[in-house]
């Protein structure tokens, strides 16, 4: 469970079918630029973030919930420690150039860079994409591409004007807060897609961040769901990131 959950948390994007009771209206490029600018002007500004997560994982074989201690130093470190009924189960630390975690049940660990996870997804992964996913920002930088913008009662939908890569992307932003409502990445040839939705946001010390995140991944007919709930969020408190792979654990490869 932990290998799959960690892998999915390290990727993700969005596909959403924007059905509306009124026809979407295509907006000019100046309006597109304004929407993108508002999305980034409303980004939560902080140095550190500390939270308790409730993480529920479900696939075709099992369903399990765990409590996760979550700490982040923005732009540099993400740290997670999972527990079940107060018993430590797994720990992970992610930096800009390294991905490491271990789990106690099977006494296994992974310690490497992003190349293996990138190969699994079929697109380059990095720290910024995961940070954006967890903080409610568009996973890809909207300022680095040109988009077709449509508006409906659901919000602003952005789709790249030129889809030259193997990955198709869709972003849906709230029309009032300009925060991400949903985002998707799909690879039609491989029959693989990941959809991330944000059912609820919360205001903490003047910052708007997700309260709930739902991730649905489908790969060649197999589906996996992850639900994340952020509780007891604080910002800019001193945090530490203790991490050491225990001796005697077996190294694994994420396939």
């Amino acid at each position: 469970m932990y290998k799959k959950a960690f892998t999915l948390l390290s990727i993700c994007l969005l596909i959403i079918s924007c059905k509306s009771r009124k026809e979407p209206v295509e907006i000019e490029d100046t309006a597109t630029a304004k929407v993108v600018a508002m999305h980034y002007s409303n980004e939560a500004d902080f140095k550190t973030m500390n939270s308790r997560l409730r993480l529920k994982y479900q696939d075709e074989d099992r369903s399990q919930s765990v409590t996760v201690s979550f700490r982040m130093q923005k732009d540099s470190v993400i740290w997670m420690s999972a527990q079940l009924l107060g018993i430590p189960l797994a720990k992970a630390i992610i930096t800009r150039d390294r991905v490491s975690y271990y789990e106690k049940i099977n006494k296994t660990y992974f310690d490497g860079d992003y190349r293996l996870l990138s190969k699994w997804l079929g697109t380059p992964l990095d720290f910024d994409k995961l940070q954006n996913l967890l903080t409610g920002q568009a996973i890809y930088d909207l300022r680095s591409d040109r988009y077709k913008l449509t508006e409906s009662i659901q919000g602003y939908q952005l789709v790249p004007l030129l889809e030259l890569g193997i990955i198709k992307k869709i972003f849906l932003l709230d029309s009032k807060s300009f925060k991400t409502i949903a985002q998707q990445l799909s690879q039609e040839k491989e029959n693989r897609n990941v959809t991330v939705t944000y059912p609820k946001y919360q205001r903490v010390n003047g910052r708007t961040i997700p309260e709930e995140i739902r991730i649905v991944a489908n790969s060649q007919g197999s589906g996996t769901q992850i639900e994340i709930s952020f509780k007891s969020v604080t910002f800019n408190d001193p945090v530490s990131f203790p991490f050491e792979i225990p001796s005697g654990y077996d190294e694994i490869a994420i396939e």
Side-chain angles (χ1 to χ4, degrees), residues 53-234:
L53 307 184
R54 189 66 177 171
L55 190 151
K56 181 178 180 181
Y57 173 92
Q58 182 175 346
D59 62 17
E60 297 172 349
D61 300 319
R62 76 180 81 182
S63 177
Q64 188 169 358
S65 296
V66 295
T67 299
V68 177
S69 296
F70 175 88
R71 302 172 189 172
M72 175 191 295
Q73 183 172 315
K74 194 174 183 183
D75 300 328
S76 61
V77 183
I78 294 173
W79 178 95
M80 292 177 281
S81 179
Q83 298 180 351
L84 181 63
L85 301 176
I87 301 173
L89 296 177
K91 189 176 287 188
I93 188 167
I94 307 167
T95 63
R96 301 201 72 85
D97 58 3
R98 199 154 195 85
V99 176
S100 304
Y101 84 97
Y102 65 85
E103 56 91 11
K104 290 179 173 289
I105 294 178
N106 296 310
K107 296 185 181 299
T108 59
Y109 75 94
F110 173 80
D111 184 32
D113 56 26
Y114 288 85
R115 286 179 295 179
L116 201 56
L117 298 179
S118 299
K119 182 178 179 181
W120 182 88
L121 182 62
T123 186
L125 297 175
D126 56 39
F127 182 91
D128 293 325
K129 290 184 177 66
L130 178 56
Q131 177 174 271
N132 290 342
L133 166 67
L134 294 171
T135 57
Q137 291 298 111
I139 295 172
Y140 283 85
D141 191 340
L142 300 178
R143 297 163 295 192
S144 63
D145 207 343
R146 296 184 64 222
Y147 293 86
K148 176 182 178 181
L149 177 67
T150 55
E151 181 182 7
S152 72
I153 58 172
Q154 293 177 302
Y156 297 110
Q157 179 181 278
L158 295 106
V159 179
L161 285 174
L162 297 176
E163 204 64 88
L164 300 177
I166 62 173
I167 297 172
K168 292 187 176 181
K169 302 181 286 287
I170 302 174
F171 304 90
L172 185 66
L173 308 181
D174 183 77
S175 58
K176 294 182 179 179
S177 68
F178 297 91
K179 300 297 291 185
T180 306
I181 300 173
Q183 44 189 331
Q184 177 199 44
L185 174 151
S186 63
Q187 296 171 283
E188 294 183 354
K189 185 177 180 180
E190 290 78 9
N191 190 23
R192 178 185 296 159
N193 66 76
V194 180
T195 303
V196 185
T197 57
Y198 299 82
K200 191 175 182 181
Y201 278 86
Q202 58 186 315
R203 292 281 291 177
V204 180
N205 296 333
R207 301 170 178 87
T208 301
I209 59 166
E211 185 171 344
E212 298 176 4
I213 303 174
R214 294 177 184 171
I215 303 169
V216 178
N218 294 286
S219 180
Q220 299 178 352
S222 298
T224 301
Q225 298 182 44
I226 294 178
E227 297 180 7
I228 305 170
S229 299
F230 285 85
K231 306 294 183 183
S232 305
V233 179
T234 61

